[in-house]
Amino acid sequence: MAKKEFTKGKWIAERKNKDQTCHLVKTGDRYTVHIYESNFGICEEESWENAKLIAKAPELLKMLKKVTDELEYYAGNTILKNPLIEKSRNLIKTI
C-alpha cells in the first residue's frame, strides 16, 4: 500500500470575510479546504466550527497515533489488552 501524503504544514482556519463565499482552511499560501454554509441546514456559524475542526485534523491524527502507541506500549506488558488500542488502530487505517 502506498504511503498516504497529506498537505504539509500547519493548517489554519480562516473565517470568511464580506468578500468571500466560504470559510477556508489554509496551509501556507495555499487554500486546502473550502467550507460552505448552505440553505440545507448548515448555517454560517456551524460551517465555521467545521472549518476549525478540519484545520486541527493533522494535529489530531498525530496525537491519536502517539497516544495509541503509548497505550499499546503499556498494555503490552499486561495479560489484558485494552480494546481502545484496536479501535484506534482501525480508525487510523481508515484515514
Side-chain angles (χ1 to χ4, degrees), residues 47-68:
S47 67
W48 171 236
E49 294 302 319
N50 290 341
K52 292 190 299 184
L53 178 62
I54 291 166
K56 292 296 179 187
E59 293 173 66
L60 291 168
L61 178 59
K62 183 177 179 181
M63 185 59 63
L64 177 62
K65 288 177 179 179
K66 186 173 184 170
V67 168
T68 301

Side-chain angles (χ1 to χ4, degrees), residues 18-29:
K18 62 181 178 66
D19 298 323
Q20 294 172 310
T21 59
C22 64
H23 302 295
L24 303 164
V25 176
K26 190 174 184 179
T27 308
D29 61 349

Side-chain angles (χ1 to χ4, degrees), residues 8-94:
K8 303 287 188 232
K10 184 168 179 69
W11 290 24
I12 299 167
E14 186 176 282
R15 192 166 199 148
K16 76 176 187 173
N17 61 40
K18 62 181 178 66
D19 298 323
Q20 294 172 310
T21 59
C22 64
H23 302 295
L24 303 164
V25 176
K26 190 174 184 179
T27 308
D29 61 349
R30 296 172 54 207
Y31 293 107
T32 309
V33 182
H34 298 73
I35 300 95
Y36 293 88
E37 57 198 78
S38 77
N39 296 327
F40 302 104
I42 298 178
C43 66
E44 192 275 333
E45 196 57 38
E46 185 177 351
S47 67
W48 171 236
E49 294 302 319
N50 290 341
K52 292 190 299 184
L53 178 62
I54 291 166
K56 292 296 179 187
E59 293 173 66
L60 291 168
L61 178 59
K62 183 177 179 181
M63 185 59 63
L64 177 62
K65 288 177 179 179
K66 186 173 184 170
V67 168
T68 301
D69 288 344
E70 289 289 317
L71 191 59
E72 190 170 51
Y73 173 79
Y74 288 108
N77 297 324
T78 65
I79 295 172
L80 298 174
K81 296 285 185 179
N82 191 318
L84 290 176
I85 296 170
E86 185 176 352
K87 287 179 181 179
S88 295
R89 292 278 181 226
N90 287 336
L91 179 60
I92 291 166
K93 286 178 189 176
T94 66

